[in-house]
Amino acid sequence: MTLSDLQKELSLKLVTRGTTLDRPVVGGYASDLLSWVMGHATENQVWITIQSHPNIVAVASLLGLSGIIVAEGAEIEENTIKKAEEENIPVFSSEKPVYEICGMLYNLLSRSRKKC
């Protein structure tokens, strides 16, 4: 599954311009504690959080995450969007709660693995 597929399936709003959506998504990680994400998330996962400051972009870039979903309608800082565009890290927004996004992502990835 790619970020483009995920965007369509979860009705996510892309807030960054010019970022690559053909990256693979192999899983997801949900946490709001940056140090915890740095120690546990892995490459090509999508990160689900309510954090919206520029440091989320730095963490995603460092780990090689596919993208970031800012959930629960949290307002994304303009400097975060600018940094994400510079680093080519797609950032999406959603009004859905973290729990719901995680469940939907799990179901999507489970279905796509069964097709392989």
Side-chain angles (χ1 to χ4, degrees), residues 84-116:
E85 290 170 349
E86 290 169 1
E87 296 286 330
N88 194 27
I89 302 291
V91 177
F92 301 92
S93 67
S94 177
E95 296 294 321
K96 295 178 178 86
V98 171
Y99 176 79
E100 187 175 334
I101 294 170
C102 290
M104 294 171 74
L105 177 61
Y106 177 84
N107 286 331
L108 283 172
L109 291 174
S110 293
R111 282 196 308 256
S112 70
R113 286 184 184 117
K114 288 178 184 175
K115 292 179 185 177
C116 295

Side-chain angles (χ1 to χ4, degrees), residues 12-113:
L12 301 172
K13 178 184 173 191
L14 180 64
V15 297
T16 50
R17 293 176 298 281
T19 52
T20 306
L21 299 182
D22 61 352
R23 297 176 184 196
V25 176
V26 299
Y29 198 82
S31 179
D32 297 321
L33 188 58
L34 275 63
S35 60
W36 196 261
V37 174
M38 288 173 60
H40 296 88
T42 59
E43 187 175 13
N44 293 325
Q45 288 184 324
V46 66
W47 178 13
I48 305 147
T49 184
I50 59 165
Q51 297 291 342
S52 65
H53 49 77
N55 291 342
I56 64 173
V57 177
V59 170
S61 181
L62 175 72
L63 297 175
L65 299 179
S66 295
I68 303 168
I69 301 171
V70 179
E72 302 190 24
E75 188 174 332
I76 303 168
E77 298 176 19
E78 190 59 40
N79 52 352
T80 301
I81 295 169
K82 183 179 176 188
K83 184 171 177 65
E85 290 170 349
E86 290 169 1
E87 296 286 330
N88 194 27
I89 302 291
V91 177
F92 301 92
S93 67
S94 177
E95 296 294 321
K96 295 178 178 86
V98 171
Y99 176 79
E100 187 175 334
I101 294 170
C102 290
M104 294 171 74
L105 177 61
Y106 177 84
N107 286 331
L108 283 172
L109 291 174
S110 293
R111 282 196 308 256
S112 70
R113 286 184 184 117

